[in-house]
Amino acid sequence: MKVLVIGSGGREHAIVWKLIQSPRVTEIFCAPGNAGINKTTKGVNIKADDIDGLLIFAKENKIEFTVVGPEVPLEKGIVDLFTANGLLIFGPQKSAARLEHSKIFAKDFMKRNNIPTAEYETFNLNDEAKVNEYIEFAKYPLVIKADGLAAGKGVIICQDKDEAKQTVKELFSDKIFGSAGENIVIEEFLEGTEASVFAICDGENYLVLPASQDHKKIGEGETGKNTGGMGAYAPAEKAVSHETMSKIKHRVIEPVIKYMKAEGSEFRGCLYCGLMIDKNNNPYVIEFNTRFGDPETQVVLPKIKSDLCDMFIASASGNIQSYKLELNENYYCTVVLASEGYPDKYETGKEIKGLDRISSEAIVFHAGTREENGKLLTNGGRVLNVTGFSPIGLKEAINFAYHNAERIKFENKYLREDIGLKGL
Ligand code: AMP
Ligand code: GLY
């Protein structure tokens, strides 16, 4: 089968790495890919959000199945477009992807269907007087979120009134997120333990993958700015017990699938539940994404023993019940090697060395890399993901990740030293 994967990060490298283990996959392309991905696939020079260009490519090259990594092509309707052209594709249609690309849609959907989430109000930029009055009498900390996609930066936690007023000004007047910030959600601050759970859905049924935990802040101990994610581990057994997972299924995943279908937007693809688990082990939804998480994918997919291509096809063709998920016993921990300065300004083009010294207890997924004149160079904020694994325990997986991360050298390399520790 000829397969096309869309995207260029560590998540897509993990997807490609696992897909090529499938005997079903005879040829694999990735658009646009990166230096690591393009070693095992045919790189296609089309951007992930150029959905018309991707359609032309898929038709010309007789692609039989397409897997979408990032959120932007989903928001643009790539699944609707490919499906209308008779092409099989893994992911949700545009109206179902609203669970991610409109926070207001997601919050209102949860409210009307009794899915547990933080209390909230929504405001439009014409409501400035109303929002200021709300801020005056709110409880702090308070969370302000841009409605639309903001590359993971659209959530601001405000400690007091002044910060909240400043944030609203930046969103409504300075338009730091453009039109994505013209509507906002203001919500209650939730306390507890965060976890990520992926459900692979086919519109009616689903299966869940092992829970994981991301490390979103740039600094150790969850300090400093929010990033795309600096590391992750799985399974997150301490944060999500069997009992908690069953609450997540019954209170979150099942109602999402049931009511999205009832409301005319059946959900296929990966439903990413970003959850806060409170002290009584009750889950609350912080956010939905409608695609795999990055870097959680780099620790979740390697746990799958069964065929990933079969799983994706079962999801896309409404047949997930027939798929038998098999997992291995390993623990996984991935450490992101970033460019110093990320998530703000950073330099690229630094030569990367040491990838030939990686031991057999680790897998390196490329995120922001490119190749030039035979040299491997940094090409982004998040550069590489070093995933260590062990059947013995999480601690061993963490050690393998860090031992191998140390062997990789490039100028301005930055990593967090505490990935996975919260899972011990
Ligand atoms: P999001 O982009 O929605 O995942 O939000 C980014 C991060 O902000 C989350 O991972 C949480 O750490 C934090 N966050 C978002 N909403 C809330 C909330 N209601 N209460 C506490 N923390 C939150
Ligand atoms: N790791 C967070 C995300 O993918 O949105």
Side-chain angles (χ1 to χ4, degrees), residues 214 216 228 272 287 289 291-296:
D214 190 4
K216 286 208 167 86
Y272 167 136
E287 63 161 350
N289 293 317
R291 38 101 190 146
F292 281 101
D294 188 346
E296 294 98 316

Side-chain angles (χ1 to χ4, degrees), residues 382-409:
R382 294 191 290 179
V383 178
L384 294 164
N385 311 135
V386 186
T387 301
F389 58 95
S390 168
I392 297 168
L394 178 60
K395 191 159 167 254
E396 288 70 19
I398 296 170
N399 286 340
F400 285 132
Y402 277 105
H403 282 152
N404 284 287
E406 217 168 275
R407 294 180 175 148
I408 300 174
K409 313 276 182 206

Side-chain angles (χ1 to χ4, degrees), residues 79-150:
V79 172
D80 312 55
L81 182 68
F82 273 49
T83 307
N85 281 275
L87 297 173
L88 191 63
I89 182 164
F90 173 79
Q93 53 179 323
K94 182 181 167 102
S95 68
R98 278 181 301 171
L99 281 175
E100 172 164 5
H101 70 246
S102 170
K103 294 219 192 270
I104 295 181
F105 171 82
K107 294 294 290 192
D108 291 347
F109 173 82
M110 285 188 270
K111 190 172 178 178
R112 67 179 172 266
N113 295 305
N114 284 317
I115 296 169
T117 187
E119 292 294 329
Y120 72 102
E121 294 278 340
T122 62
F123 300 92
N124 172 268
L125 88 169
N126 299 315
D127 301 332
E128 206 158 339
K130 241 166 72 190
V131 77
N132 281 324
E133 188 186 314
Y134 183 88
I135 284 171
E136 201 60 45
F137 299 104
K139 242 177 54 197
Y140 289 85
L142 191 68
V143 185
I144 302 186
K145 302 186 173 184
D147 176 48
L149 295 180

